Amino acid sequence: MTQHRSYSALKVGALAVPTIAALVLTGCSAPASGSSPTGGAQEFTLSFATSNTIESPFQVLAEKYMASNPGVKITFNPQPNDSYDQTLRTQLQAGNASDVVVTSPGSGTGRSILPLVQAGFLEPLDAAAKELVPEGSEALFGTDGKVYGQAPEITVVGLVANETSAKAAGISDFPSDFASLEDQCKSLASSGKSFIALAGSAAPNTGLMAMSLAASRVYAEDPKWNEKRAAKETTFAGSDGWKASLEAVSKLNNAGCFQKGAAGAGFDAITKGLASGTSVAGFIPGPSWKQLKTAAADSEFNVRALPAEASSEGFVYASANYAFSINAASKNKDAAKAFLDWAAEPEQTKAFAEIDGALPVTGLDSYDFNGGAYKNVGDLIKNGKYGPLPNSQWPNSAVYDALATGVQGLITGQKTTDQVLQAMDTAWGQ
């Protein structure tokens, strides 16, 4: 199969929770001839989102680059994930953003490439970055044949599960459908545990949960749903699939699937819950399995698709969800471009994916899923039962914001499904 055979124009999207790395990046060679900065000491700054105190893979990669190039100094500007989009936009507008910034392909969030390009904030990149654009995703990385983001890896999004904790809690077989998931939730809740660890106070996590529920209910059946919404052939409020997706949020809540106090919990609740075994799974990017492993070495963590309704097909999200971009106002573009050229080398992209626990940005057709953390989603990907995060194709970040905050209201009982869907339709037209 081709990497994206089920999607003639597979789009990519922004993840709600960036992954983290706790290990030292190995296997990265020194820059190839012509890729290292010249002319003495070189400096540039790098911004990225982080969800905790564990070192970001973007920082690990940059530190390796400095080790290979003693004359280079990279100053890091990490920002909390839940405020990264706003901070990045504010800094770009003020003219004091970092030279290299981590962005997301598409147009659905505040850090997305297309609106930042439209505002004139990003610098066009060279051929090395263009070669890493996943097939069919060119329109999400730039305009007029120019590329403004460099993809480092392919990220799978569904559930990350602590298989060891699940077995210890009496779950011999992972739920095969949504009804079985509800039953397991009720059983775990009665013993003081939860199936899902949710950061209910963090809109990115509630939004990711809702999109995960929509995977099998909306996009498995109609991969072109977003295109139809853009053409005004459908609406969120008029979609049975989207209505079922948000109703599923309430079903999970009513079944006791979330930990106590989930509505007010932050991202740390996910890390602590999955690492300690008080929760079985979380709506987080697939690469998080590897970082969770560093906190719970005796546990096995795997990436899984969210159990679908019995009548629905399994479906998972897999796409290039992050990118390196260069600030158009940067005064250190040569040094920044030299770093990106080095990061684009096959040895670096392979090492980045391995250390972050992701899939490689190239060579997915021949990837061996057997025995690894992605073994449970391997067949879905091989059979083309995957697609991008939906919000990459949404016209603005307000749609995702309406979904994420709306789900928070569903959990607390302050909003109804119809109100959330209507708010998303309103945001679409902004």
Side-chain angles (χ1 to χ4, degrees), residues 13-282:
L15 284 183
V17 188
T19 56
I20 51 179
L23 304 178
V24 176
L25 196 61
T26 58
C28 291
S29 64
S33 176
S35 65
S36 60
T38 59
Q42 298 287 317
E43 297 187 13
F44 65 92
T45 51
L46 170 63
S47 285
F48 50 86
T50 183
S51 296
N52 49 46
T53 59
I54 302 178
E55 197 169 30
S56 162
F58 299 104
Q59 181 169 336
V60 174
L61 184 68
E63 288 175 342
K64 182 64 179 179
Y65 184 66
M66 286 191 285
S68 300
N69 295 274
V72 174
K73 178 182 178 181
I74 304 175
T75 300
F76 302 115
N77 183 26
Q79 299 293 327
N81 182 63
D82 54 0
S83 61
Y84 179 78
D85 290 16
Q86 181 178 353
T87 300
L88 175 62
R89 189 88 184 196
T90 299
Q91 291 177 342
L92 288 169
Q93 290 173 336
N96 59 5
S98 294
D99 301 300
V100 178
V101 296
V102 174
T103 57
S104 295
S107 58
T109 71
R111 74 186 75 172
S112 293
I113 289 173
L114 296 184
L116 295 180
V117 169
Q118 186 175 15
F121 291 141
L122 302 183
E123 180 79 3
L125 303 181
D126 57 20
K130 185 174 291 187
E131 290 176 0
L132 294 181
V133 175
E135 181 183 351
S137 300
E138 293 80 5
L140 275 295
F141 280 81
T143 58
D144 299 326
K146 297 179 181 180
V147 170
Y148 295 83
Q150 181 170 303
E153 64 186 22
I154 296 294
T155 304
V156 176
V157 180
L159 286 175
V160 174
N162 186 329
E163 307 286 343
T164 303
S165 295
K167 292 178 181 178
I171 301 175
S172 56
D173 294 311
F174 201 84
S176 58
D177 56 37
F178 194 76
S180 298
L181 173 60
E182 290 181 276
D183 290 339
Q184 291 287 5
C185 286
K186 295 174 183 177
S187 177
L188 285 176
S190 65
S191 64
K193 296 184 178 182
S194 71
F195 198 98
I196 296 170
L198 182 71
S201 70
N205 193 232
T206 55
L208 189 62
M209 172 176 65
M211 290 196 299
S212 297
L213 289 164
S216 61
R217 293 169 175 80
V218 179
Y219 298 98
E221 297 182 4
D222 190 357
K224 295 185 177 181
W225 191 92
N226 281 344
E227 296 177 27
K228 293 179 180 178
R229 178 63 185 85
K232 298 182 180 181
E233 296 175 5
T234 187
T235 62
F236 288 104
S239 166
D240 291 339
W242 269 105
K243 184 175 182 180
S245 300
L246 295 194
E247 288 176 344
V249 172
S250 297
K251 290 180 179 179
L252 291 177
N253 192 31
N254 293 336
C257 293
F258 311 134
Q259 80 279 12
K260 291 183 178 179
F267 285 118
D268 61 328
I270 301 176
T271 304
K272 292 177 181 177
L274 268 60
S276 67
T278 57
S279 296
V280 171

Side-chain angles (χ1 to χ4, degrees), residues 347-407:
E347 198 164 357
Q348 272 59 262
T349 59
K350 179 181 178 181
F352 187 94
E354 288 178 352
I355 201 65
D356 199 33
L359 296 176
V361 70
T362 59
L364 192 57
D365 290 349
S366 59
Y367 186 83
D368 183 8
F369 290 94
N370 296 326
Y374 294 93
K375 60 187 178 183
N376 294 303
V377 296
D379 286 343
L380 290 176
I381 293 177
K382 289 178 180 178
N383 293 326
K385 303 297 184 180
Y386 70 99
L389 282 172
N391 62 331
S392 64
Q393 298 171 321
W394 296 348
N396 56 63
S397 60
V399 182
Y400 182 76
D401 291 341
L403 172 64
T405 57
V407 169

